[in-house]
Amino acid sequence: MDESKQRRGEPFGERLARHGLALTRERTTALQVNVGLACDLSCGHCHLEAGPARGEMMSRAVMAEVIGCARRFRFDSIDLTGGAPELVPDLPYLVRGLAPETRRLIVRTNLVSLEGERGEELLQLYRELKVVLVASLPAGNQAQTEAQRGAGVWQKSIRALQRLNELGYGLPGSPLELDLVSNPSGAFLPAPQLQAQEKFQRDLARKHGVSFHNLYTFANVPLGRFRRFLERSGNLDDYLEKLTAGFNPCAVAGLMCRSQLSVDWCGRLYDCDFHLAQGLFLGGAARFIADLDELPAPGTPIAAADHCYACTVGSGFT
Amino acid sequence: METYYDPRDLGSFAEIGKDAPELAGKFFDYYNEVFAEGELTEREKALIALAVAHTVQCPYCIDAYTRACLEKGSHLGEMTEALHVVTAIRGGASLVHGVQMRKIAEKLSL
Ligand code: SF4
């Protein structure tokens, strides 16, 4: 029997130990802010099960605490995610408050939420403040995109990308950075990032006249709605085995949780958005961003969980 | 129900080396080198393999290269077009032999 089969089901922490590795923090340089779970889509791979029925949203009071934290610690980058951040009423307040406090303010978008008058107002704000936009697009074709994100999403996404290009986002040499994120539309691993980027760039330019800067490919994390898809479709065991068999010890050094703090819409702190989805608090107990008077010291342990295997498969999360 | 084909057998492919390790070693080395990035990308090679798998009608290869194509970034439109390429060649290969049929029939006929 080969080693991967013998090790099936091995807890992530034990796998790390067997390779002489530990999941610990380095210097914390990034803050990820999850502004809430409301979303106009219900994507099949969403680890947070965000969607139209979710009411969790960050209030202005918590936003003020996040801005205060950003002022205290001057993170190199701050990354707003959700849900769909566009649906949070006070998002412009948060964006305006954070932009002067970091070199790199990133907002994640599902593209569809950039439609309409409100979307246009946000786009003007993003352009004014040179916000980096990271847009989800699972595939360079309609069928796979809509399989993951729902009917009608493809045309809307392409229209939003074309509008972003009109505003100067994603053009070669433009300081208005537009990156794409692709999660596979099913129980398979993502294509290697650079090859996938070349193909997306070629396909989107040729068929739709769209350009963007970088593509990030991420494995789907077996949590939330994606886990239920895996169970329903009979893919769970094979997928988990694929993640564990593809464990790459070299990916551990670059894991984002080592240099990032994650905060939810209530102001509670985590090591990452996946731990947030699982309710695994930073340091093991709920602590709030308003009370954070120092960043976790380098060497502080990070809770290892079995969903961490999704971050260490192949070249890993970046 | 027992069948000749079991999808789990694919994972045991390497066991074929047990009684002839040197030959298997040569085969697998060659195989791995063929599929490595060269003048063609790994994605293009996987698409060719998927198409050929359908002409040799190997369920193991169809399974393996469907997954490989998806994981190398091909989508179903591309994968389906690749199948049509081999289907056209396969059908064309039959049809072009019709020229022989016609020549023989002409020779035999009044
Ligand atoms: S899920 Fe990934 S990012 Fe989160 S703690 Fe585990 S390895 Fe780190």
Side-chain angles (χ1 to χ4, degrees), chain A residues 6-318:
Chain A
Q6 281 170 18
R7 304 289 180 183
R8 188 186 301 179
E10 181 177 36
F12 186 71
E14 286 176 26
R15 176 68 65 99
L16 288 179
R18 197 154 57 78
H19 286 269
L21 296 166
L23 194 54
T24 54
R25 291 195 150 269
E26 291 171 357
R27 203 166 68 83
T28 300
T29 56
L31 177 68
Q32 185 167 56
V33 184
N34 191 316
V35 292
L37 299 184
C39 189
D40 40 6
L41 303 180
S42 300
C43 299
H45 75 300
C46 184
H47 60 278
L48 287 158
E49 307 202 51
R54 302 300 294 260
E56 296 91 335
M57 277 196 201
M58 187 174 275
S59 64
R60 194 179 265 249
V62 175
M63 288 179 181
E65 291 168 4
V66 171
I67 295 167
C69 172
R71 202 164 287 149
R72 286 198 300 284
F73 298 118
R74 303 291 310 176
F75 296 97
D76 291 347
S77 72
I78 301 180
D79 174 358
L80 307 189
T81 187
E86 294 87 345
L87 302 193
V88 177
D90 283 322
L91 183 72
Y93 165 76
L94 182 64
V95 168
R96 280 207 183 277
L98 290 177
E101 308 301 340
T102 181
R103 284 203 302 261
R104 190 173 162 82
L105 179 61
I106 303 161
V107 178
R108 299 194 181 233
T109 175
N110 67 18
L111 291 171
V112 171
S113 313
L114 290 172
E115 268 199 323
E117 213 175 299
R118 157 97 173 161
E120 191 57 32
E121 280 168 23
L122 286 170
L123 284 175
Q124 298 300 336
L125 176 68
Y126 295 158
R127 184 165 70 159
E128 176 199 330
L129 299 175
K130 299 216 169 29
V131 170
V132 174
L133 292 178
V134 176
S136 306
L137 194 70
N141 71 317
Q142 177 168 356
Q144 279 178 310
T145 298
E146 296 195 352
Q148 182 188 98
R149 306 178 82 71
V153 166
W154 175 253
Q155 290 302 339
K156 290 180 183 176
S157 302
I158 294 297
R159 270 205 304 275
L161 288 170
Q162 288 167 338
R163 177 72 188 125
L164 284 163
N165 282 172
E166 274 169 26
L167 291 170
Y169 267 100
L171 302 179
S174 167
L176 295 170
E177 186 175 333
L178 171 63
D179 299 329
L180 299 185
V181 166
S182 162
N183 283 81
S185 53
F188 52 92
L189 297 181
Q193 200 152 283
L194 266 184
Q195 280 143 270
Q197 176 174 303
E198 279 170 21
K199 183 162 186 293
F200 267 61
Q201 277 170 334
R202 205 171 47 237
D203 287 354
L204 289 177
R206 181 166 61 98
K207 296 182 189 160
H208 307 285
V210 162
S211 72
F212 64 93
H213 292 129
N214 306 296
L215 175 81
Y216 302 108
T217 59
F218 293 142
N220 288 315
V221 180
L223 296 175
R225 205 175 282 132
F226 186 65
R227 189 174 187 98
R228 285 196 282 107
F229 153 76
L230 291 171
E231 284 165 355
R232 216 174 42 242
S233 59
N235 281 305
L236 182 64
D237 288 349
D238 280 356
Y239 189 73
L240 296 180
E241 194 171 329
K242 205 177 248 285
L243 295 184
T244 48
F247 174 77
N248 172 11
C250 301
V252 174
L255 289 172
M256 60 181 171
C257 51
R258 307 194 68 187
S259 56
Q260 175 199 277
L261 272 185
S262 187
V263 59
D264 74 5
W265 48 93
C266 299
R268 294 171 297 199
L269 296 163
Y270 307 84
D271 289 298
C272 73
D273 205 54
F274 308 116
H275 278 23
L276 182 158
Q278 288 294 88
L280 289 173
F281 295 115
L282 178 81
R287 284 173 62 203
F288 288 84
I289 196 162
D291 305 327
L292 190 72
D293 37 28
E294 57 184 22
L295 295 175
T300 306
I302 297 168
D306 289 344
H307 55 256
C308 297
Y309 275 118
C311 302
T312 53
V313 66
S315 51
F317 268 96
T318 51

Side-chain angles (χ1 to χ4, degrees), chain A residues 2 5 140-141 144 187-192 195 199 202-203 207 235 238 242, chain B residues 8 11-12 15 37 41-44 67 70-78:
Chain A
D2 68 30
K5 282 185 187 160
N141 71 317
Q144 279 178 310
F188 52 92
L189 297 181
Q195 280 143 270
K199 183 162 186 293
R202 205 171 47 237
D203 287 354
K207 296 182 189 160
N235 281 305
D238 280 356
K242 205 177 248 285
Chain B
R8 280 170 303 193
S12 309
E15 287 176 22
E37 183 102 9
T41 63
E42 290 183 8
R43 187 184 78 86
E44 289 161 340
R67 290 166 198 269
L70 289 169
E71 293 189 345
K72 302 219 176 285
S74 291
H75 59 72
L76 264 178
E78 293 163 321

